[in-house]
Amino acid sequence: MPEMKGQEGRFTYTITEVKITELNLTHADLQFIPEVGLLFDIQNSSISLSFNRRILYWFFYDTGNINASAEGVNINTSLNLIKDPQGRLKISNIVCDARIDKMKAKFSGTLGKIYEFLAKFLTTGMRFLLNQQICPALNRAALVHMNSMLETIPVRTEVDEYVGIDYSLIDDPVLTSKSLDMHFRGMFFDLSQQNISQTNRAVDPVIRQHDRMVYLALSEFFFDSGLFSYYTAGIFQMDIVNERMPKDLEMLLRTTYFGLIMMLNPALVDAPLSLHLAVNAPPKTFIKTSGATVVMTAIVKVLVLPPGGTAVQLSSMTMETKFNAKVSMKGKRLSVHADLRRFKIFSNQSALESLALIPLQAPLKTMLQMSVVPLINNWTKRGVRIPLAGGMDFIEEVVEYHNGFIVIGANLHFNKTIQEIIEENMESNNNSI
């Protein structure tokens, strides 16, 4: 607040260093008002404050501290929320009405009692100034500080060196009498081919619960776009060879393809064998009330590797797999744990060879469970960040499966003050520049 100076008769006064020491919220309410915005209402509350005085009366000069209180503090504020051009949530406007019904002050110092009659005059001026200051302060808090905090929410960010994720809002937030609903794009993309379009054919998630602070609904498209992006990035392929090849599986492969190797070149009998796995179509996610599954097909090639020569293909088969996917959220990171549920292989060359591959079913499934699935889970346990402002985390998370989508309910925990969040954001922006 600005310094106050004035004169009343033979009294000349100066008021400085006004500090609010306490805010008592007798009644505070936050409401969702359709077509209006967020309504923050404070009624019949009080403010304690202190300030320094310098008073001159004739030849007497006095300084001291004044403790004052403002009572009957009523503030009614509504915030209008929109989607900014970058797809971020933003406060676009604030409507504020504030008033203080009465104010009183207690003087200290040598001439404290003498100046009591000035209290009414000073508190009237102070109340007038406070009434003028509350709404501008709230305007700055909303349009500057809160918007600065909202800017810490990631809208389009890298997940790893292969893919990124787009969390931009599709449209302006919708307010109902019970909730603030925001529709995020929720789509992964290949960093090397960011303009590839993906069609969302998934059902729209529906949230009916209201007993937690936040609900995050993820459709099948959210997971499918991630699988599609990793597929186009070309990482769904690997070679099982040398120390990564289980010895019992290698022996079984040699037994199965011994005759073919002898027909091709007897000199290759002792050459190392290799399995090349490559997913041949984007994996698909299915979400039911019983849980989530991911269906994936891959081409498996059995190769013999002549020393210093070109790999020779012995067989090509199709592998069909189904994984159970358990979704969890901790803090603000979403992760998935996969378990192999179903496995089948068949030859791409003949039905007769498919029969010959039956003995390979069990060892190949074991190899996937012991070698490939742990690699996938080690990669997915890092998770992906959910769009939440810095300094905030989800707690008490619960995951529910529905037909076509997953709903995660959670409460919010502030691990930093809004001021700390703003300062960190400003420092981060300065460092990036």
Side-chain angles (χ1 to χ4, degrees):
M1 288 185 58
E3 183 180 88
M4 290 176 59
K5 291 184 177 181
Q7 186 172 354
E8 180 70 14
R10 298 185 181 277
F11 285 92
T12 302
Y13 64 89
T14 302
I15 302 299
T16 59
E17 298 184 27
V18 180
K19 296 179 181 179
I20 294 179
T21 57
E22 190 174 2
L23 171 64
N24 295 306
L25 297 179
T26 305
H27 170 82
D29 190 24
L30 180 66
Q31 301 177 26
F32 299 112
I33 308 298
E35 309 299 329
V36 176
L38 286 176
L39 178 67
F40 186 50
D41 187 47
I42 296 175
Q43 295 293 329
N44 199 29
S45 297
S46 63
I47 296 173
S48 299
L49 64 157
S50 66
F51 45 89
N52 292 330
R53 71 172 189 271
R54 294 195 302 270
I55 297 178
L56 178 64
Y57 177 67
W58 289 90
F59 301 107
F60 295 97
Y61 179 75
D62 185 46
T63 62
N65 180 262
I66 300 176
N67 293 319
S69 63
E71 298 177 355
V73 178
N74 302 288
I75 304 172
N76 187 279
T77 305
S78 64
L79 304 177
N80 183 249
L81 303 174
I82 63 167
K83 171 184 75 73
D84 74 4
Q86 287 73 42
R88 256 190 201 92
L89 179 66
K90 184 178 182 180
I91 300 171
S92 63
N93 186 40
I94 176 171
V95 177
C96 175
D97 176 56
R99 73 180 189 277
I100 296 174
D101 291 338
K102 58 182 178 179
M103 191 167 182
K104 55 185 178 181
K106 182 178 181 180
F107 286 73
S108 64
T110 307
L111 303 178
K113 291 292 183 181
I114 300 176
Y115 299 141
E116 284 292 342
F117 74 95
L118 276 178
K120 183 177 180 180
F121 172 77
L122 290 177
T123 53
T124 300
M126 184 67 68
R127 184 166 65 90
F128 176 77
L129 282 177
L130 278 174
N131 281 332
Q132 288 187 319
Q133 291 292 322
I134 290 175
C135 283
L138 289 176
N139 267 287
R140 179 171 178 78
L143 300 179
V144 178
H145 296 313
M146 289 298 295
N147 277 338
S148 179
M149 187 186 75
L150 292 173
E151 288 177 1
T152 67
I153 298 176
V155 172
R156 191 175 176 90
T157 183
E158 292 183 4
V159 175
D160 51 32
E161 63 267 36
Y162 302 106
V163 306
I165 189 167
D166 188 338
Y167 280 128
S168 58
L169 287 171
I170 297 175
D171 46 34
D172 288 339
V174 177
L175 282 104
T176 70
S177 60
K178 293 184 177 180
S179 65
L180 167 65
D181 298 337
M182 293 178 286
H183 303 143
F184 296 96
R185 189 172 304 279
M187 184 184 76
F188 292 84
F189 56 88
D190 180 357
L191 290 176
S192 63
Q193 305 178 68
Q194 298 189 24
N195 294 325
I196 294 180
S197 61
Q198 301 181 48
T199 303
N200 183 0
R201 294 188 175 90
V203 298
D204 289 333
V206 178
I207 300 175
R208 294 186 173 91
Q209 302 93 326
H210 292 94
D211 56 334
R212 301 216 175 208
M213 293 174 69
V214 177
Y215 285 93
L216 178 69
L218 306 169
S219 73
E220 292 173 344
F221 175 74
F222 176 82
F223 300 98
D224 283 346
S225 70
L227 294 168
F228 176 84
S229 299
Y230 281 110
Y231 171 75
T232 59
I235 71 164
F236 284 155
Q237 54 183 311
M238 66 184 306
D239 292 295
I240 309 296
V241 66
N242 297 328
E243 67 275 0
R244 299 179 66 179
M245 174 78 73
K247 296 302 180 184
D248 55 346
L249 177 59
E250 183 180 12
M251 182 62 66
L252 187 58
L253 289 172
R254 287 190 184 280
T255 303
T256 304
Y257 295 102
F258 179 79
L260 181 57
I261 294 174
M262 291 297 292
M263 290 177 60
L264 291 173
N265 187 349
L268 299 179
V269 171
D270 296 324
L273 294 181
S274 170
L275 289 176
H276 178 73
L277 286 73
V279 175
N280 62 340
K284 183 73 178 74
T285 306
F286 297 92
I287 302 175
K288 304 293 182 184
T289 55
S290 56
T293 58
V294 177
V295 175
M296 182 184 299
T297 63
I299 301 300
V300 182
K301 295 179 181 179
V302 183
L303 307 170
V304 62
L305 307 176
T310 304
V312 178
Q313 180 176 314
L314 300 178
S315 178
S316 174
M317 55 187 122
T318 296
M319 177 178 67
E320 294 181 350
T321 57
K322 179 181 284 188
F323 296 90
N324 283 336
K326 184 178 180 181
V327 178
S328 61
M329 188 168 68
K330 190 68 176 176
K332 48 178 168 273
R333 299 200 73 84
L334 182 78
S335 59
V336 178
H337 181 84
D339 287 312
L340 184 61
R341 177 181 176 185
R342 192 178 69 188
F343 173 86
K344 183 174 70 172
I345 58 171
F346 53 87
S347 173
N348 296 330
Q349 297 170 351
S350 68
L352 183 62
E353 186 181 33
S354 293
L355 292 175
L357 293 176
I358 292 177
L360 288 174
Q361 295 271 1
L364 278 175
K365 182 177 181 180
T366 302
M367 182 271 295
L368 283 174
Q369 289 175 323
M370 297 181 63
S371 301
V372 178
V373 175
L375 289 175
I376 294 174
N377 287 329
N378 186 59
W379 167 60
T380 58
K381 73 179 182 181
R382 294 175 296 178
V384 59
R385 182 180 171 182
I386 296 301
L388 193 64
M392 300 170 64
D393 284 319
F394 291 120
I395 59 172
E396 302 171 4
E397 307 91 340
V398 61
V399 180
E400 295 182 356
Y401 295 86
H402 301 265
N403 289 324
F405 59 93
I406 292 174
V407 174
I408 302 174
N411 290 325
L412 283 176
H413 171 68
F414 281 82
N415 51 49
K416 295 178 182 176
T417 66
I418 292 179
Q419 185 64 33
E420 289 174 332
I421 296 170
I422 294 167
E423 290 173 353
E424 285 187 5
N425 183 51
M426 292 177 62
E427 183 178 348
S428 175
N429 290 341
N430 290 334
N431 290 338
S432 65
I433 293 173

